């Protein structure tokens, strides 16, 4: 059941899915998004699958957009809208699918990876987990992440993470609600939780997610605004220069202030 970017293992609770782009530190490219959509398509047709557990490997859960792929796109202006729309739709599907999405975080989570965690139904983390929204350093914003992050941790904390780009350790992430359960034995905690979750009917999970989505402010207009803003920022010349310099010269934007 493995594919290009995911390692998939059947378990008593459903599937454990390992994001598998080790050379790219589990960054998000178009294929990863497609593979996750296809995974949801598959599981939604399988009544025996109750939970999808997402995890990383080698110290990385997910490190956000794959800049290498972004610079290789023949036209960033044409390709970016498709990428951002499919990413936004993926986060939305996490919050609407009748399957339970659990992120098991034991490493670094950056930028768009924070969106995957924030949109998950439950987050189990170890002390090795750490989170950062680094987009502003490149002239970007976590536009698609923000609605789901605000839903999880609140406006001001999401604003703080975006503005400061500060790394949040596991203890702080648990305190603000980005991690639901912090433990030194995350796999043991996962087993205990999934034992309880299997008692809940899939129809009830669907009803629960649908109801709670109505209790929150994420609307189709907000989703469209998030996609539009990310697309606008990705086509700004300075953003493209910032990314290009990092890929080609390993130069961070703040190391070349004369171009800012």
């Amino acid at each position: 059941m493995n594919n290009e970017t995911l390692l998939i293992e059947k378990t008593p609770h459903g599937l454990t899915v390992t994001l598998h782009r080790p050379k790219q530190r589990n960054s998000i490219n178009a294929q990863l998004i497609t593979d996750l959509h296809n995974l949801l398509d598959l599981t939604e047709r399988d009544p025996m699958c109750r939970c999808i557990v997402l995890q990383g490997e080698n110290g990385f859960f997910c490190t956000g957009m794959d800049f290498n792929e972004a610079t290789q796109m023949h036209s960033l202006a044409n390709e970016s809208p498709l990428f951002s729309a499919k990413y936004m739709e993926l986060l939305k599907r996490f919050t609407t699918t009748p399957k339970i999405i659990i992120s098991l975080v034991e490493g670094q989570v950056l930028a768009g990876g924070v969106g995957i965690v924030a949109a998950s139904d439950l987050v189990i983390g170890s002390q090795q987990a750490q989170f950062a929204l680094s987009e502003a350093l490149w002239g970007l914003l976590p536009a698609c992440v923000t609605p789901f992050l605000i839903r999880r941790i609140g406006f001001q904390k999401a604003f703080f993470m975006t503005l400061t780009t500060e790394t949040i350790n596991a203890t702080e992430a648990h305190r603000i609600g980005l991690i639901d359960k912090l433990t030194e034995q995350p796999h043991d905690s996962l087993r205990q939780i999934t034992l309880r979750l299997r008692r809940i009917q899939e129809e009830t999970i669907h009803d629960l997610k649908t109801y709670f989505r109505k209790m929150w402010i994420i609307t189709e207009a907000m989703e469209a605004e998030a996609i539009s803003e990310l697309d606008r920022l990705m086509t700004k010349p300075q953003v493209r220069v910032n990314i290009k310099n990092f890929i080609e010269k390993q130069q961070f934007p703040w190391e070349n202030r004369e171009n800012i």
Side-chain angles (χ1 to χ4, degrees):
M1 295 181 65
N2 297 344
N3 55 35
E4 186 175 336
T5 68
L6 305 175
L7 301 179
I8 304 172
E9 176 187 1
K10 285 189 174 181
T11 64
H13 58 256
L15 297 177
T16 293
V17 180
T18 303
L19 307 185
H20 183 63
R21 304 190 71 229
K23 293 182 179 179
Q24 296 81 22
R25 302 194 309 167
N26 283 348
S27 60
I28 301 171
N29 69 344
Q31 188 61 52
L32 176 62
I33 294 176
T34 296
D35 287 346
L36 286 170
H37 274 292
N38 290 341
L39 175 75
L40 289 173
D41 291 340
L42 177 68
T43 58
E44 287 172 358
R45 294 192 297 266
D46 181 4
M48 301 304 294
C49 178
R50 306 300 304 280
C51 298
I52 301 171
V53 177
L54 301 174
Q55 63 182 10
E57 58 184 351
N58 301 325
F60 299 101
F61 179 83
C62 179
T63 58
M65 182 186 295
D66 184 339
F67 280 172
N68 280 289
E69 184 172 288
T71 60
Q72 292 167 7
M73 290 178 180
H74 62 86
S75 173
L76 189 59
N78 290 334
E79 297 290 341
S80 178
L82 179 61
F83 178 93
S84 54
K86 288 183 69 177
Y87 172 72
M88 188 69 176
E89 177 63 19
L90 179 67
L91 300 187
K92 179 180 180 178
R93 288 188 73 181
F94 278 14
T95 66
T96 57
T97 180
K99 309 303 178 180
I100 301 167
I101 308 295
I102 302 176
S103 282
L104 185 62
V105 184
E106 300 181 85
Q108 188 177 52
V109 190
L110 298 177
V114 176
I116 290 175
V117 172
S120 298
D121 299 313
L122 298 172
V123 181
I124 301 172
S126 74
Q127 286 291 349
Q128 287 68 50
Q130 51 182 291
F131 304 82
L133 293 176
S134 54
E135 286 90 340
L137 297 173
W138 308 94
L140 294 166
L141 294 174
C144 294
V145 174
T146 300
F148 300 92
L149 187 62
I150 290 176
R151 185 183 80 151
R152 179 167 270 278
I153 69 173
F155 178 92
Q156 185 57 35
K157 291 179 176 64
F159 184 83
F160 175 86
M161 287 184 66
T162 302
L163 178 62
T164 66
T165 70
E166 180 178 301
T167 297
I168 302 297
N169 65 26
T171 300
E172 178 65 7
H174 183 238
R175 187 187 72 82
I176 66 177
L178 191 50
I179 292 176
D180 295 307
K181 190 171 185 63
L182 180 62
T183 172
E184 289 298 330
Q185 303 295 332
H187 293 274
D188 289 344
S189 294
L190 175 64
R191 283 191 290 271
Q192 294 169 10
I193 288 174
T194 53
L195 281 173
R196 298 190 65 85
L197 294 177
R198 289 207 300 269
R199 301 171 184 172
I200 304 175
Q201 293 181 342
E202 184 171 294
E203 182 180 357
T204 303
I205 297 298
H206 180 263
D207 290 342
L208 185 153
K209 287 193 176 188
T210 300
Y211 175 74
F212 270 78
R213 185 172 172 84
K214 291 176 181 177
M215 295 297 101
W216 190 237
I217 60 173
I218 299 178
T219 63
E220 290 184 3
M222 178 184 288
E223 291 164 353
E225 176 64 26
I227 295 168
S228 175
E229 179 65 3
L230 180 57
D231 294 341
R232 182 186 74 83
L233 293 170
M234 284 297 295
T235 57
K236 291 179 68 173
Q238 188 58 59
V239 169
R240 299 178 69 173
V241 168
N242 289 343
I243 295 174
K244 185 172 184 289
N245 285 343
F246 179 72
I247 296 301
E248 295 182 355
K249 307 175 185 178
Q250 292 298 296
Q251 182 182 69
F252 291 99
W254 58 90
E255 296 173 335
N256 194 24
R257 290 297 184 186
E258 63 270 19
N259 290 334
I260 297 179

